[in-house]
Amino acid sequence: MKLASLRRKVDRLDDQLVRLLEQRAGIAREIGLLKRQDGSSVFAPAREAALFRRLESKLKGGLQPSDLRAVYREILASARKIQGGARVAYLGPQGSYCHQAARERFGAATELVPCPTIAEIFSAVDRGEVEAGVVPMENSGEGAVGATQDALLGTSSWVCGEVYLPIRHSLLAKTIQGPIRVLYSHPQALGQCRHWLATRLPGAKWVEVASTAEGARRAAKEKYAAALASPWAAKIYGLKIRQRDVQDHPGNSTRFLVLGQEPVPSTGRDKTSLLFTLPHRAGALHRALGVFSAKGLNLLKVESRPAPGKPWEYVFFVDVRGHADRPDFRQAIARLQKQTQDLRVLGSYPEDR
């Protein structure tokens, strides 16, 4: 009797939730009409980040913040769909970690569009074919993704978000036993499992492909082939999981950037990404980075990459805590412009952690 009584209470709460969700959907539809009138994007990362933070502050211990986010991720995806939808490009095919990160950020109700290369994701966002794109930026063990850094040099899109995704590689094959002669995966994944592969599959030929999911797709078609990819890819491509968690470091994770067509307003807990080149003068980098310290701004990352077509010249990628619209940040940028070349703010966006 007690169980039946509790279930009736749950049923009444579910009835209330359905009515409230329908009311919310109706308001979302009205917001969509207003957005279409003024040409605003359906995707509003600052608003969504502020909503998550506000709702999490109201929890009293009965629900984990991650569970609340999972529920509201789908509510927001449904709201975007009602407002006209937000198509999101990712590095495909289906089952890649980038696909997983895109779904983690935008929800299952979002139309996710696979692209064969990182450059094509940038192009799709730049041309307005999609509202947003998700690209891998760096891995905790293997460092930066060069293709993304190169594409950032020429894009007209804005960095408007980030997603941190734990990376747990599995060895996938058509059969649970038998020899493996060729191994397909993305170069980063192969690097992240280098020591495990050297001891467990010393004779296998490594073949680099555009994504871990592409590796799984190929392995599903070949005898004596395997792939390094996620367990999710095993389900999609009908592969067996021979071994889970084959990455060399258990804390392995990848940071993905979210690209959009509009700059993001401040949320109060933001990060700014920018790039610049420097003249060949002693102490140039020290003076450039000192601009942020002088304003009390915290540097989160500094990384260099060879400048395309300019031997022995470098592009510096910098992440700074804070929003570029803050007065102290604007003053720092003004000073930085005098000390650098090709300075560009790539975008300010809500921090994911």
PDB file of all heavy atoms in Angstrom, residues 295-312:
ATOM      1  N   LYS A 295      47.309  43.736 -14.896  1.00  0.00           N
ATOM      2  CA  LYS A 295      45.890  44.019 -14.672  1.00  0.00           C
ATOM      3  C   LYS A 295      45.236  42.986 -13.749  1.00  0.00           C
ATOM      4  O   LYS A 295      44.014  42.999 -13.564  1.00  0.00           O
ATOM      5  CB  LYS A 295      45.148  44.062 -16.012  1.00  0.00           C
ATOM      6  CG  LYS A 295      45.516  45.256 -16.874  1.00  0.00           C
ATOM      7  CD  LYS A 295      45.077  46.556 -16.208  1.00  0.00           C
ATOM      8  CE  LYS A 295      45.449  47.771 -17.032  1.00  0.00           C
ATOM      9  NZ  LYS A 295      45.041  49.023 -16.353  1.00  0.00           N
ATOM     10  N   GLY A 296      46.043  42.086 -13.188  1.00  0.00           N
ATOM     11  CA  GLY A 296      45.501  41.084 -12.279  1.00  0.00           C
ATOM     12  C   GLY A 296      44.696  40.001 -12.964  1.00  0.00           C
ATOM     13  O   GLY A 296      43.857  39.349 -12.335  1.00  0.00           O
ATOM     14  N   LEU A 297      44.953  39.775 -14.262  1.00  0.00           N
ATOM     15  CA  LEU A 297      44.229  38.766 -15.027  1.00  0.00           C
ATOM     16  C   LEU A 297      45.018  37.459 -15.021  1.00  0.00           C
ATOM     17  O   LEU A 297      46.226  37.449 -15.249  1.00  0.00           O
ATOM     18  CB  LEU A 297      44.000  39.245 -16.464  1.00  0.00           C
ATOM     19  CG  LEU A 297      43.137  40.502 -16.605  1.00  0.00           C
ATOM     20  CD1 LEU A 297      43.174  41.033 -18.025  1.00  0.00           C
ATOM     21  CD2 LEU A 297      41.694  40.203 -16.192  1.00  0.00           C
ATOM     22  N   ASN A 298      44.317  36.359 -14.790  1.00  0.00           N
ATOM     23  CA  ASN A 298      44.950  35.059 -14.636  1.00  0.00           C
ATOM     24  C   ASN A 298      45.110  34.363 -15.980  1.00  0.00           C
ATOM     25  O   ASN A 298      44.126  34.075 -16.665  1.00  0.00           O
ATOM     26  CB  ASN A 298      44.110  34.187 -13.693  1.00  0.00           C
ATOM     27  CG  ASN A 298      44.760  32.850 -13.405  1.00  0.00           C
ATOM     28  OD1 ASN A 298      45.959  32.670 -13.593  1.00  0.00           O
ATOM     29  ND2 ASN A 298      43.960  31.897 -12.959  1.00  0.00           N
ATOM     30  N   LEU A 299      46.358  34.065 -16.352  1.00  0.00           N
ATOM     31  CA  LEU A 299      46.633  33.304 -17.565  1.00  0.00           C
ATOM     32  C   LEU A 299      46.356  31.828 -17.301  1.00  0.00           C
ATOM     33  O   LEU A 299      46.885  31.248 -16.358  1.00  0.00           O
ATOM     34  CB  LEU A 299      48.090  33.482 -17.991  1.00  0.00           C
ATOM     35  CG  LEU A 299      48.450  34.789 -18.706  1.00  0.00           C
ATOM     36  CD1 LEU A 299      49.961  34.878 -18.865  1.00  0.00           C
ATOM     37  CD2 LEU A 299      47.792  34.845 -20.070  1.00  0.00           C
ATOM     38  N   LEU A 300      45.545  31.196 -18.140  1.00  0.00           N
ATOM     39  CA  LEU A 300      45.201  29.789 -17.977  1.00  0.00           C
ATOM     40  C   LEU A 300      46.006  28.886 -18.896  1.00  0.00           C
ATOM     41  O   LEU A 300      46.236  27.719 -18.581  1.00  0.00           O
ATOM     42  CB  LEU A 300      43.703  29.583 -18.248  1.00  0.00           C
ATOM     43  CG  LEU A 300      42.754  30.384 -17.353  1.00  0.00           C
ATOM     44  CD1 LEU A 300      41.321  30.222 -17.829  1.00  0.00           C
ATOM     45  CD2 LEU A 300      42.891  29.937 -15.907  1.00  0.00           C
ATOM     46  N   LYS A 301      46.419  29.412 -20.055  1.00  0.00           N
ATOM     47  CA  LYS A 301      47.180  28.599 -20.999  1.00  0.00           C
ATOM     48  C   LYS A 301      47.956  29.505 -21.939  1.00  0.00           C
ATOM     49  O   LYS A 301      47.445  30.543 -22.383  1.00  0.00           O
ATOM     50  CB  LYS A 301      46.253  27.701 -21.817  1.00  0.00           C
ATOM     51  CG  LYS A 301      46.988  26.734 -22.744  1.00  0.00           C
ATOM     52  CD  LYS A 301      46.041  26.006 -23.675  1.00  0.00           C
ATOM     53  CE  LYS A 301      45.648  26.872 -24.859  1.00  0.00           C
ATOM     54  NZ  LYS A 301      44.973  26.123 -25.933  1.00  0.00           N
ATOM     55  N   VAL A 302      49.195  29.110 -22.258  1.00  0.00           N
ATOM     56  CA  VAL A 302      49.998  29.774 -23.285  1.00  0.00           C
ATOM     57  C   VAL A 302      50.605  28.676 -24.142  1.00  0.00           C
ATOM     58  O   VAL A 302      51.249  27.756 -23.614  1.00  0.00           O
ATOM     59  CB  VAL A 302      51.120  30.644 -22.681  1.00  0.00           C
ATOM     60  CG1 VAL A 302      51.912  31.311 -23.800  1.00  0.00           C
ATOM     61  CG2 VAL A 302      50.555  31.683 -21.740  1.00  0.00           C
ATOM     62  N   GLU A 303      50.388  28.743 -25.431  1.00  0.00           N
ATOM     63  CA  GLU A 303      50.898  27.709 -26.323  1.00  0.00           C
ATOM     64  C   GLU A 303      51.318  28.338 -27.635  1.00  0.00           C
ATOM     65  O   GLU A 303      50.710  29.313 -28.090  1.00  0.00           O
ATOM     66  CB  GLU A 303      49.814  26.658 -26.574  1.00  0.00           C
ATOM     67  CG  GLU A 303      50.341  25.369 -27.143  1.00  0.00           C
ATOM     68  CD  GLU A 303      49.406  24.210 -26.828  1.00  0.00           C
ATOM     69  OE1 GLU A 303      48.221  24.468 -26.581  1.00  0.00           O
ATOM     70  OE2 GLU A 303      49.869  23.063 -26.838  1.00  0.00           O
ATOM     71  N   SER A 304      52.355  27.796 -28.244  1.00  0.00           N
ATOM     72  CA  SER A 304      52.826  28.321 -29.523  1.00  0.00           C
ATOM     73  C   SER A 304      52.677  27.273 -30.608  1.00  0.00           C
ATOM     74  O   SER A 304      52.681  26.061 -30.339  1.00  0.00           O
ATOM     75  CB  SER A 304      54.287  28.760 -29.418  1.00  0.00           C
ATOM     76  OG  SER A 304      55.131  27.651 -29.179  1.00  0.00           O
ATOM     77  N   ARG A 305      52.543  27.754 -31.839  1.00  0.00           N
ATOM     78  CA  ARG A 305      52.479  26.886 -33.022  1.00  0.00           C
ATOM     79  C   ARG A 305      53.168  27.600 -34.170  1.00  0.00           C
ATOM     80  O   ARG A 305      53.034  28.825 -34.319  1.00  0.00           O
ATOM     81  CB  ARG A 305      51.028  26.573 -33.382  1.00  0.00           C
ATOM     82  CG  ARG A 305      50.904  25.695 -34.631  1.00  0.00           C
ATOM     83  CD  ARG A 305      49.557  25.038 -34.729  1.00  0.00           C
ATOM     84  NE  ARG A 305      49.423  24.220 -35.931  1.00  0.00           N
ATOM     85  CZ  ARG A 305      49.914  22.998 -36.063  1.00  0.00           C
ATOM     86  NH1 ARG A 305      50.562  22.445 -35.049  1.00  0.00           N
ATOM     87  NH2 ARG A 305      49.745  22.320 -37.180  1.00  0.00           N
ATOM     88  N   PRO A 306      53.938  26.868 -34.985  1.00  0.00           N
ATOM     89  CA  PRO A 306      54.592  27.520 -36.130  1.00  0.00           C
ATOM     90  C   PRO A 306      53.590  28.273 -37.000  1.00  0.00           C
ATOM     91  O   PRO A 306      52.513  27.765 -37.319  1.00  0.00           O
ATOM     92  CB  PRO A 306      55.213  26.341 -36.889  1.00  0.00           C
ATOM     93  CG  PRO A 306      55.451  25.306 -35.843  1.00  0.00           C
ATOM     94  CD  PRO A 306      54.298  25.439 -34.878  1.00  0.00           C
ATOM     95  N   ALA A 307      53.935  29.496 -37.371  1.00  0.00           N
ATOM     96  CA  ALA A 307      53.061  30.303 -38.227  1.00  0.00           C
ATOM     97  C   ALA A 307      53.089  29.737 -39.646  1.00  0.00           C
ATOM     98  O   ALA A 307      54.173  29.501 -40.196  1.00  0.00           O
ATOM     99  CB  ALA A 307      53.519  31.754 -38.221  1.00  0.00           C
ATOM    100  N   PRO A 308      51.946  29.490 -40.267  1.00  0.00           N
ATOM    101  CA  PRO A 308      51.903  28.919 -41.616  1.00  0.00           C
ATOM    102  C   PRO A 308      52.663  29.787 -42.622  1.00  0.00           C
ATOM    103  O   PRO A 308      52.438  30.999 -42.712  1.00  0.00           O
ATOM    104  CB  PRO A 308      50.409  28.883 -41.947  1.00  0.00           C
ATOM    105  CG  PRO A 308      49.728  28.862 -40.623  1.00  0.00           C
ATOM    106  CD  PRO A 308      50.584  29.692 -39.725  1.00  0.00           C
ATOM    107  N   GLY A 309      53.576  29.173 -43.369  1.00  0.00           N
ATOM    108  CA  GLY A 309      54.301  29.882 -44.416  1.00  0.00           C
ATOM    109  C   GLY A 309      55.381  30.816 -43.936  1.00  0.00           C
ATOM    110  O   GLY A 309      55.959  31.563 -44.735  1.00  0.00           O
ATOM    111  N   LYS A 310      55.675  30.815 -42.627  1.00  0.00           N
ATOM    112  CA  LYS A 310      56.700  31.717 -42.083  1.00  0.00           C
ATOM    113  C   LYS A 310      57.658  30.905 -41.213  1.00  0.00           C
ATOM    114  O   LYS A 310      57.445  30.755 -40.006  1.00  0.00           O
ATOM    115  CB  LYS A 310      56.049  32.834 -41.249  1.00  0.00           C
ATOM    116  CG  LYS A 310      55.121  33.732 -42.051  1.00  0.00           C
ATOM    117  CD  LYS A 310      54.484  34.788 -41.154  1.00  0.00           C
ATOM    118  CE  LYS A 310      53.551  35.691 -41.950  1.00  0.00           C
ATOM    119  NZ  LYS A 310      52.922  36.728 -41.086  1.00  0.00           N
ATOM    120  N   PRO A 311      58.702  30.343 -41.826  1.00  0.00           N
ATOM    121  CA  PRO A 311      59.623  29.489 -41.067  1.00  0.00           C
ATOM    122  C   PRO A 311      60.205  30.201 -39.845  1.00  0.00           C
ATOM    123  O   PRO A 311      60.610  31.357 -39.910  1.00  0.00           O
ATOM    124  CB  PRO A 311      60.724  29.174 -42.098  1.00  0.00           C
ATOM    125  CG  PRO A 311      60.067  29.362 -43.427  1.00  0.00           C
ATOM    126  CD  PRO A 311      59.086  30.483 -43.238  1.00  0.00           C
ATOM    127  N   TRP A 312      60.192  29.485 -38.720  1.00  0.00           N
ATOM    128  CA  TRP A 312      60.759  29.942 -37.451  1.00  0.00           C
ATOM    129  C   TRP A 312      60.036  31.157 -36.858  1.00  0.00           C
ATOM    130  O   TRP A 312      60.566  31.865 -36.031  1.00  0.00           O
ATOM    131  CB  TRP A 312      62.255  30.224 -37.586  1.00  0.00           C
ATOM    132  CG  TRP A 312      62.964  29.065 -38.219  1.00  0.00           C
ATOM    133  CD1 TRP A 312      63.608  29.055 -39.431  1.00  0.00           C
ATOM    134  CD2 TRP A 312      63.059  27.738 -37.701  1.00  0.00           C
ATOM    135  NE1 TRP A 312      64.097  27.799 -39.693  1.00  0.00           N
ATOM    136  CE2 TRP A 312      63.788  26.963 -38.637  1.00  0.00           C
ATOM    137  CE3 TRP A 312      62.611  27.112 -36.530  1.00  0.00           C
ATOM    138  CZ2 TRP A 312      64.067  25.622 -38.447  1.00  0.00           C
ATOM    139  CZ3 TRP A 312      62.895  25.766 -36.346  1.00  0.00           C
ATOM    140  CH2 TRP A 312      63.617  25.035 -37.294  1.00  0.00           C
TER     141      TRP A 312
END
